[in-house]
Amino acid sequence: MKKTPRKICVATGTRAEYGLLRWVMKGIKDSELLQLQLIVTGMHLSPEFGLTVRDIEADGFSIDHKVEMLLSSDTPVGITKSMGLGMIGFADALHQLQPDLLLILGDRYEIFAAAASAMVARIPIAHLHGGESTEGLIDESIRHGITKMSHLHFVAAREYRQRVIQLGEKPESIFQVGGLGIDSIHSLQLLSQIELEEALDFKLMKKNLLITFHPVTLEKSTSGDQMRELLLSLSQLHNTGLIFTMPNADTDGRILFKQINDFCLSHPHARAFTSLGQLKYLSCVKYVDGVVGNSSSGIVEVPSFKKGTVNIGDRQRGRLRAKSVIDCSPDFRSITDAINQLFSPSFRSSLAGTDNPYGNGGASASIVSILENINFDDVIKKRFFDIKF
């Protein structure tokens, strides 16, 4: 007798998070033992952030529920109210869908709202990319909070597995699968340089950089100051194409939007994109000389291309990193020195030996296989795992 497929509900709220989840979602969709349910929320539903829900649908996924929660405010009060709206929306969505498990990734406030709603509804939660550390963000606390609400954990590295155990989670509930972003690099047919230039309507120059700089949410009124230092450093470059991707919907994000747009208006070699999507973003990484900013992609995915990353400030402090990552302070001189190092012949020659600590791919298939075979009975009842000293 054929088993009834388990209903696995995936929630996604940002373009970057969806890029990581995409191949897990495809594996669930293609499985005879699992049934994919999909809730879309946050920036996906906002025209201001590219209305990326259309990209999800274009990839062949059916959306079961949309949770509108993003207010037109990037203040702490506005984001807190968004979290409240998210919990209301997720409560309705989960009640309607009745999933056997909620699958979520990462550390953003939209996903915290989803996890809290599922916890109260007694729906088991599987959390991806837990145990990581980002000391410059509220995401640090959110990520660890989601870990404590979750029942299954899929982590990217041994150090992260140990941290989840340290948080009191049972070792047998934690699965080390590697970094999800690497699967996209292997699964997508990246664009040729000509195709990329046509898609971007932007001609690559002799040298090129891809820049993504997000707000640092645990520091007050510093995001704009740090962006000014970055833009001042970039303005000193010659014969260098600059491709910006816009920041997430975080506190003070709109300040950065305006600064980037103003910079691009006065620098013809610079172009900004609200959302590149996974294909164009990874294709850019393939052809640029390096990545600059404070995005996790510069730490997790870019080393697989054997390209350098200039990582600015504390936003990613605490993450494992390859030797291809150059850390610098968020000031003009430090950023300038780091970019000069990125372009230096000695550094560039060292990149061929880059090893990515997040693995070589296969995380998505491993997660799907575990979800197909693991016993869900009594998973909802958790016991704190004490480490014996």
Side-chain angles (χ1 to χ4, degrees):
M1 183 175 179
K2 190 174 181 180
K3 293 175 64 174
T4 301
R6 291 171 166 175
K7 294 182 289 184
I8 308 297
C9 182
V10 176
T12 175
T14 74
R15 63 186 190 242
E17 170 201 74
Y18 167 68
L20 299 176
L21 285 168
R22 177 181 175 183
W23 304 104
V24 179
M25 290 165 51
K26 185 178 186 305
I28 295 170
K29 180 183 175 184
D30 293 344
S31 172
E32 294 184 356
L33 301 177
L34 306 173
Q35 175 188 337
L36 177 65
Q37 298 176 325
L38 182 57
I39 301 176
V40 172
T41 189
M43 290 190 290
H44 286 310
L45 305 178
S46 169
E48 182 181 3
F49 293 96
L51 205 63
T52 48
V53 63
R54 295 179 297 194
D55 298 332
I56 298 174
E57 292 171 323
D59 287 335
F61 295 108
S62 298
I63 296 168
D64 295 280
H65 212 289
K66 296 178 181 179
V67 174
E68 294 277 4
M69 62 177 288
L70 193 61
L71 298 176
S72 183
S73 171
D74 62 356
T75 66
V77 171
I79 287 174
T80 304
K81 289 180 178 179
S82 290
M83 292 174 69
L85 289 173
M87 289 189 68
I88 293 170
F90 278 110
D92 289 336
L94 294 172
H95 179 72
Q96 174 189 320
L97 297 175
Q98 293 292 308
D100 295 302
L101 179 134
L102 176 69
L103 182 71
I104 51 178
L105 183 146
D107 48 27
R108 286 186 56 81
Y109 60 85
E110 303 96 334
I111 300 308
F112 184 88
S117 302
M119 177 186 66
V120 174
R122 298 190 295 275
I123 296 169
I125 301 169
H127 184 213
L128 283 59
H129 274 273
E132 301 179 16
S133 182
T134 47
E135 296 176 10
L137 300 172
I138 61 170
D139 301 16
E140 169 90 353
S141 300
I142 290 175
R143 184 188 305 106
H144 298 331
I146 292 173
T147 289
K148 293 309 302 175
M149 289 188 279
S150 300
H151 307 87
L152 301 175
H153 310 273
F154 297 98
V155 300
R158 182 184 62 83
E159 289 87 344
Y160 298 150
R161 183 177 188 274
Q162 291 301 117
R163 192 171 285 141
V164 174
I165 293 172
Q166 186 178 341
L167 287 166
E169 299 301 296
K170 297 184 299 182
E172 58 266 32
S173 72
I174 308 165
F175 304 91
Q176 183 181 327
V177 296
L180 282 164
I182 300 167
D183 289 349
S184 292
I185 298 171
H186 297 311
S187 300
L188 289 171
Q189 179 66 47
L190 299 184
L191 302 175
S192 68
Q193 181 172 333
I194 293 174
E195 290 171 331
L196 177 63
E197 290 176 336
E198 290 178 351
L200 300 180
D201 190 24
F202 183 79
K203 184 73 173 176
L204 295 177
M205 302 181 70
K206 183 177 181 180
K207 297 187 293 184
N208 300 276
L209 295 174
L210 178 61
I211 304 111
T212 306
F213 190 88
H214 297 295
V216 184
T217 52
L218 281 183
E219 300 176 20
K220 291 186 177 180
S221 304
T222 61
S223 295
D225 294 338
Q226 293 180 12
M227 177 60 84
R228 274 189 290 275
E229 298 292 297
L230 170 58
L231 295 178
L232 179 60
S233 178
L234 295 174
S235 69
Q236 310 300 307
L237 297 173
H238 300 287
N239 298 317
T240 306
L242 304 174
I243 302 170
F244 289 86
T245 62
M246 288 300 195
N248 286 332
D250 290 316
T251 309
D252 295 332
R254 286 175 175 81
I255 295 172
L256 307 188
F257 262 73
K258 184 178 188 308
Q259 289 174 300
I260 293 168
N261 281 327
D262 289 348
F263 180 88
C264 291
L265 285 173
S266 59
H267 293 79
H269 59 286
R271 185 72 58 83
F273 298 88
T274 302
S275 175
L276 284 173
Q278 198 77 356
L279 177 61
K280 286 184 283 188
Y281 179 86
L282 292 176
S283 298
C284 281
V285 176
K286 180 179 178 180
Y287 293 108
V288 298
D289 295 274
V291 173
V292 176
N294 60 8
S295 173
S296 61
S297 65
I299 307 291
V300 180
E301 288 96 50
V302 173
S304 292
F305 287 90
K306 301 190 183 301
K307 296 289 180 77
T309 295
V310 171
N311 179 59
I312 302 171
D314 290 341
R315 194 176 197 269
Q316 301 301 332
R317 184 186 296 274
R319 284 197 196 272
L320 294 173
R321 62 244 288 120
K323 292 181 179 179
S324 58
V325 178
I326 304 167
D327 293 306
C328 68
S329 299
D331 61 79
F332 168 77
R333 177 47 54 197
S334 294
I335 296 169
T336 300
D337 289 345
I339 292 175
N340 288 337
Q341 181 181 345
L342 180 79
F343 283 123
S344 70
S346 59
F347 178 79
R348 292 172 68 85
S349 65
S350 73
L351 292 173
T354 300
D355 290 321
N356 192 335
Y358 294 89
N360 299 309
S364 300
S366 296
I367 292 166
V368 172
S369 177
I370 292 167
L371 292 176
E372 288 177 330
N373 293 288
I374 198 168
N375 187 351
F376 282 11
D377 294 343
D378 295 326
V379 70
I380 201 76
K381 296 179 181 179
K382 294 178 59 172
R383 290 183 179 178
F384 194 94
F385 181 81
D386 286 308
I387 299 175
K388 297 180 181 179
F389 296 98

